[in-house]
Amino acid sequence: MNTLFKPTMLSMALAAAFACLPHSAALACEDCGDDEAPATSAAIEAAQVAANGAANVDANNANAATPTRNLGIVLIAGNATRSLPSNIPTTMESVTAEEIARTINATDAQDALKYLPSLLVRKRYIGDYNHAVLSTRASGTGNSARSLVFADGIQLSNLLGNGAGFTPRWGMVTPEEIERVDVLYGPFSAAYSGNSVGAVVDYQTRSPKTFEAHAKVGIFHQPFELYNSSANYGGYQASASIGDRAGALAWWVNVNHLDSEGQPLTFITKLTSTGKPVNAQTVAVTGNVLDADKSNTPWQILGAGTSYHTQQDHAKLKLAYDFNPELRASYSLGWWNNKAVGSSASYLRDAGGNTVYSGANIGIDGKQYAVANTDFGQNRDRLEHLMHGLALKSQTRGVFDFELAASSYDYRQDEARAPNAPKSLSKPAADTGGPGRITDLSGTGWSSLAAKGVWRPDGSAHVLDFGLQHERYAWRQKVSDTADWLGGAAGALFTDFSGKTQLSSAFVQDAWTIGPQLKSVIGLRAEQWQALDGSKTAANGTPVSFEARKERYLSPKAALGYELSESWTLKLSTGRAVRMPTAGELYQGGVNANGVYVPSDPSTNPTLKPEKGWTSELGATWSSGKQQLRSTLFHEDTRDALYSQLSANPADPAKPISSVQNIGRIRTVGIELAYSAEDLFVRGLELQSSLTYADSEILENAGFVSTPGDTIGKQQPRVPKWRATLVASYAITPALSASYGLRYSGPQYSTLNNSDPNGFTYQGFSKFFTTDLRLQWRVAKQWTVAGGIDNLNNYRYWAFHPYPQRTYHAELKFDL
C-alpha cells in the first residue's frame, strides 16, 4: 500500500500546488525543454521551516521502533528548533554558540562560518557592511545572489542585485545572539528558490526558557603596514541582552554598539606607461611606491583610499507566545543603524615636505603625471534599516502541522554622500564641504509571505511537506546633486532608477522511509517570476520604462540516503536551480557620465535570461565513536550564468558593449572532505577540518573580455581549486580552553579570461594561508575573559582589497 501511496500522493499534491500559481497566455514555460530553462531571482525566505516538519517526527508510526542514530539520513537536532529541512539526506553542517565562543574571535555574525567546509565570507574589516559576500563550493565572492542567509526564518540575503554591493544584512544578527548556525549545501530542498544553489545558511538566535542576562565588551587592534601606509586600526564593541519567560510569553532583547576603524581598502594608482616627459613646470614629488597591477603591468601607488570608520548600532526584540503546548506565535523586530566615514591619504610629498593631492604636472621617478582632484575621494554613509518577522506555527508532531509567516526588510534611510567638484575634492578642502552628490536608496527593500504544512498520514511511511510562498523585491535609487556634500539637501536630479521583481512559488516534497536503512525524498518547486516597474530618468529628464516580464519554471529535487552499516552512510542528491535576474542586473546602467540616458546603450539588459542548472552530489560518511569522516563528490552544470562582460555591438563593432550578460555554460566538479573528532588522542581535544577541490570551467560563452573566445576553457572567477580549514580546541581545565585555527585558499582569478596572474596587489585575488588563536577562561561562575589573534602569521593577502593583517582581540563577558 505504501508503494502505491507515494506516487499518487505526490502527483496530486504537485498538480494542486502548480494550479495555485497565476496563469497567463504570455507565460513562457521553458522547463518543458532541457537547457533552455530560466534562472532564479529572489530568495524564498520563510520557505525554510516547511521542509523541517518531517524531521521533527519521531520517525513515524511505521518505524517507531527503529534506532534514530541514522548517521544523517534523518538528522535529529535534540531540543534545538532548527528551521532548515533536516529530513533530506544531503550535506548539512552546523556550529553552536559554545563552539563559536571557544574557537572564533567573533565580532560579526558572518564570523560564525569561518571554519565550515567550502565557505568563505569576504570580510574586509570588522563591521564590513557592504562587501562581505558569502562564497560557496562553485560560487565566488562576486555572486552574492547564489546563496541564501536567514535569521530565525527572516531573510537577510539582499537579492536586489548580485555582487559586492548586495551582501547579506549581517548586521541584523550579533554574535552574542547566536544559538546555532546550520548550513544546507546545494539546491536540494524544494522549499527554497534557486538562490539556494550555493548554500542556505540559517542563524537561530536565543530564545530564553528562564530569566537570563548577558553583557559583553570587546576591543580589537590591528597594526597595518602596506606600501607607505603604516598605522594602527581598531575599535571596540559592547553588547547587552536580557530575556525571560513568564508563563506563555517569552521575550528577548539584545542591543549592540560597534565602533571600528578599518585599514585602507583602495589605492590611487597611475600606470607608468601613461607618464610623459618632464618639463619646466613639473613638480617633483616623493613617497610613491612602484608596484605591478594584477596583470603584472607596472604602476605607481600614489596613496590610499576608502579607509572606513564605521559606527553601528543594533537592537533586536523577540516575542513568543504559546497559545497551548502545540501552537506558538512569534514576532521579531530588528533595527540597524550605521554611520560610516570613508577617507583617503596621499603618499606624495613635495620638496618642502607638504602633502600633494593633485596637480597637472606631478613628477614621479622622472616622468610626469596628471593627478586629478577626483583621484583622492571621500564619502559619508548613513543607513537605518528595519526588519520585521511574524509567524504562527503548530508543533503537534502528529498528523498535520502548519506555519504561516510574513517578514519585511526596509531601507528606512540609506544615503551615501561624496564630493564631486574639483574644488571640493582637493584635500583637505573637501572636509569643509562643497558640491557633491547624494545617492539615496530610501524605500528599497523586500518582503515575503509563506504558508507551509507537513502531513504525516497515520500508518504511512511518507511525510509530505508543501507550501505556498510569495517574495517581493523593490529597488529605488535616486542620485542628486547637492551644494554641500557633507550635509546639504538634495538638489537637481542626476539619475533615477527603480525596478521590482517578485516570485510566487509552490512546493511539495515527499520523504519516504522505504525501510530502516533506506530513505528517499522527492520534491518539486513551481515558480512564477515577474519583473515589473523597471524605469529610469536621467538628468536631462528623459524617462525610460521597460516592459514587464512574467515567466514560469519548474525545479525538481531528489535525494536518497542508505545506511550501509553501523559505520557507513551513503547519500545521493540532485536538484535543479533557477536563479532569476535581480532588479540591479536587469535595469541598472544605460546612463553616461553626464547623467544622460543613452537609448542605444544595452548596459541595461532587461532581457537577461535566468541562470539554470543541475547540481548533484554523492556523499559517504564514516562514523566511529566520536570521530566522523565525510567525503562528498559534487557536480554543478550551469547554463546562462550571469556575469558582467563584453559583447559585440552590431551598431558599432569598434565599441563592444559592457553589461551583465549570460554565459552559455559553466561546469564545476569537485570533492569535499570533512573530518571531526572529540577526545582525539587526549581527553578534551576536539578537531574539525575540511579539504575542498573544485574545478570550475567556462565551457560556452558568446561574450568576451578582450577578444571573442578568450574565456572558453578558463576557470570561473573567484573559485579557487583548493580550500582547506582546520580548527583544534583543547580544554586545558574545565574553565580554561585554547583553540588554534588554520585556513587556506589556493590561487584564483578575478577575470573571465584569467588574465590576472598577480593576485598579491590592489585589485588582485590571491591565495592565502592564515592562522588564528583564541583563549577562553571562565574566571568565575558569571565572568569569562577571552583573547585571541586573527591572522597570527600576518599573511598579506588580497580579494581586490587587502584583507586585515594581524589583529588582536580581548573581551570580557558577564552571564547571569
Side-chain angles (χ1 to χ4, degrees), residues 267-276 289-302 364 367-371 375 761-763:
F267 296 88
I268 293 82
T269 63
K270 296 292 180 182
L271 292 172
T272 59
S273 59
T274 64
K276 299 179 179 179
V289 178
L290 180 63
D291 195 27
D293 69 7
K294 62 185 181 182
S295 301
N296 281 321
T297 303
W299 64 4
Q300 297 283 359
I301 309 293
L302 311 186
I364 300 174
K367 291 186 177 182
Q368 179 175 287
Y369 301 85
V371 180
D375 286 340
T761 189
Y762 174 48
Q763 300 181 3

Side-chain angles (χ1 to χ4, degrees), residues 54 127 161 183 278-279 363 446 514 517 571 578 625 647 662 702 771 806:
V183 180
V278 297
N279 56 41
W446 56 88
I514 302 170
Q517 284 81 40
K571 292 182 280 188
V578 182
S647 63
N662 293 109
T771 62
R806 184 184 294 121

Side-chain angles (χ1 to χ4, degrees), residues 763-780:
Q763 300 181 3
F765 285 75
S766 71
K767 65 178 183 179
F768 67 82
F769 174 75
T770 62
T771 62
D772 306 314
L773 178 68
R774 182 169 173 84
L775 295 172
Q776 182 179 246
W777 179 29
R778 184 175 290 276
V779 296

Side-chain angles (χ1 to χ4, degrees), residues 20-255:
C20 294
L21 290 178
H23 289 258
S24 169
L27 291 181
C29 184
E30 302 184 24
D31 297 273
C32 306
D34 44 3
D35 333 316
E36 261 320 304
T40 310
S41 149
I44 174 138
E45 63 157 321
Q48 40 194 60
V49 188
N52 99 20
N56 295 330
V57 186
D58 193 62
N60 232 11
N61 300 339
N63 298 306
T66 305
T68 56
R69 177 181 53 80
N70 289 40
L71 295 180
I73 289 185
V74 180
L75 255 162
I76 303 298
N79 294 326
T81 300
R82 65 191 301 163
S83 55
L84 285 185
S86 52
N87 61 324
I88 300 177
T90 192
T91 302
M92 294 185 71
E93 295 285 347
S94 300
V95 60
T96 65
E98 188 274 333
E99 291 170 325
I100 295 169
R102 181 163 36 89
T103 61
I104 300 173
N105 300 310
T107 56
D108 298 283
Q110 59 266 42
D111 294 330
L113 309 178
K114 195 170 190 176
Y115 297 112
L116 292 180
S118 304
L119 301 184
L120 171 70
V121 177
R122 185 188 177 217
K123 176 182 166 181
R124 304 168 300 165
Y125 61 96
I126 292 173
D128 192 351
Y129 62 95
N130 56 2
H131 277 67
V133 175
L134 171 64
S135 66
T136 56
R137 290 169 175 167
S139 303
T141 54
N143 283 314
S144 61
R146 285 175 59 86
S147 60
L148 291 173
V149 180
F150 300 92
D152 298 320
I154 303 173
Q155 181 180 308
L156 301 183
S157 290
N158 184 348
L159 300 180
L160 298 164
N162 181 45
F166 299 92
T167 63
R169 307 320 303 173
W170 304 107
M172 280 297 180
V173 178
T174 65
E176 289 68 47
E177 290 182 85
I178 299 171
E179 185 70 29
R180 64 181 289 129
V181 186
D182 295 314
V183 180
L184 170 68
Y185 290 74
F188 305 123
S189 170
Y192 298 95
S193 67
N195 303 87
S196 65
V197 61
V200 181
V201 178
D202 182 53
Y203 286 83
Q204 297 167 52
T205 62
R206 298 182 64 86
S207 183
K209 297 177 175 61
T210 60
F211 178 78
E212 58 180 86
H214 312 271
K216 179 181 174 182
V217 62
I219 59 174
F220 42 90
H221 174 74
Q222 178 197 181
F224 181 83
E225 292 188 4
L226 183 63
Y227 300 131
N228 276 339
S229 294
S230 179
N232 295 316
Y233 299 93
Y236 69 92
Q237 188 173 39
S239 67
S241 54
I242 187 171
D244 195 6
R245 170 174 284 275
L249 177 66
W251 57 274
W252 169 264
V253 176
N254 173 263
V255 293

Side-chain angles (χ1 to χ4, degrees), residues 318-628:
K318 291 179 60 178
L319 300 173
Y321 185 81
D322 295 326
F323 295 100
N324 56 53
E326 298 175 347
L327 183 63
R328 167 177 289 191
S330 59
Y331 172 72
S332 295
L333 171 64
W335 174 79
W336 178 73
N337 185 77
N338 178 28
K339 298 177 183 177
V341 175
S343 58
S344 58
S346 175
Y347 297 158
L348 305 180
R349 302 293 184 269
D350 63 17
N354 302 303
T355 303
V356 176
Y357 281 95
S358 63
N361 307 294
I362 304 299
I364 300 174
D365 291 348
K367 291 186 177 182
Q368 179 175 287
Y369 301 85
V371 180
N373 287 307
T374 53
D375 286 340
F376 290 90
Q378 302 185 71
N379 67 282
R380 305 287 188 272
D381 296 348
R382 179 67 186 267
L383 302 88
E384 182 185 7
H385 293 183
L386 198 63
M387 176 183 78
H388 297 271
L390 180 65
L392 179 66
K393 182 178 181 180
S394 70
Q395 289 185 309
T396 67
R397 303 193 179 188
V399 174
F400 178 74
D401 275 310
F402 73 90
E403 181 184 11
L404 303 175
S407 69
S408 68
Y409 194 99
D410 178 31
Y411 287 34
R412 297 191 68 183
Q413 179 183 16
D414 197 300
E415 187 178 87
R417 292 171 172 264
N420 71 334
K423 64 177 183 180
S424 70
L425 268 170
S426 180
K427 289 261 300 184
D431 293 333
T432 61
R437 286 215 171 98
I438 302 172
T439 300
D440 186 2
L441 302 183
S442 300
T444 294
W446 56 88
S447 60
S448 71
L449 296 170
K452 295 167 283 184
V454 54
W455 181 31
R456 314 174 186 96
D458 286 332
S460 172
H462 296 265
V463 175
L464 191 72
D465 293 294
F466 53 91
L468 297 173
Q469 303 156 340
H470 180 76
E471 304 158 44
R472 181 178 180 275
Y473 301 86
W475 178 264
R476 181 77 170 84
Q477 176 178 299
K478 186 176 182 179
V479 182
S480 304
D481 291 327
T482 179
D484 179 9
W485 76 276
L486 287 174
L493 177 70
F494 181 64
T495 60
D496 189 0
F497 151 71
S498 63
K500 298 174 184 175
T501 61
Q502 59 186 38
L503 189 69
S504 300
S505 54
F507 74 90
V508 63
Q509 194 159 271
D510 179 26
W512 181 21
T513 304
I514 302 170
Q517 284 81 40
L518 184 62
K519 180 175 183 176
S520 73
V521 177
I522 297 178
L524 182 65
R525 182 176 183 84
E527 297 174 315
Q528 179 175 281
W529 172 76
Q530 291 179 271
L532 60 160
D533 297 340
S535 66
K536 60 179 61 185
T537 304
N540 64 356
T542 304
V544 179
S545 298
F546 302 97
E547 290 186 8
R549 292 172 59 184
K550 185 185 292 186
E551 299 167 7
R552 179 184 292 173
Y553 305 97
L554 294 175
S555 298
K557 322 280 183 177
L560 188 68
Y562 180 60
E563 191 175 305
L564 190 63
S565 68
E566 289 291 314
S567 301
W568 285 93
T569 300
L570 301 178
K571 292 182 280 188
L572 176 65
S573 309
T574 189
R576 185 176 189 238
V578 182
R579 183 187 85 74
M580 311 298 177
T582 62
E585 291 168 314
L586 289 167
Y587 302 127
Q588 278 189 312
V591 177
N592 66 19
N594 297 317
V596 177
Y597 179 74
V598 183
S600 62
D601 180 2
S603 59
T604 296
N605 195 346
T607 61
L608 282 173
K609 299 177 183 178
E611 293 183 359
K612 42 204 177 292
W614 281 89
T615 302
S616 304
E617 67 170 48
L618 173 63
T621 302
W622 169 82
S623 181
S624 177
K626 296 182 177 181
Q627 297 184 73
Q628 187 175 89

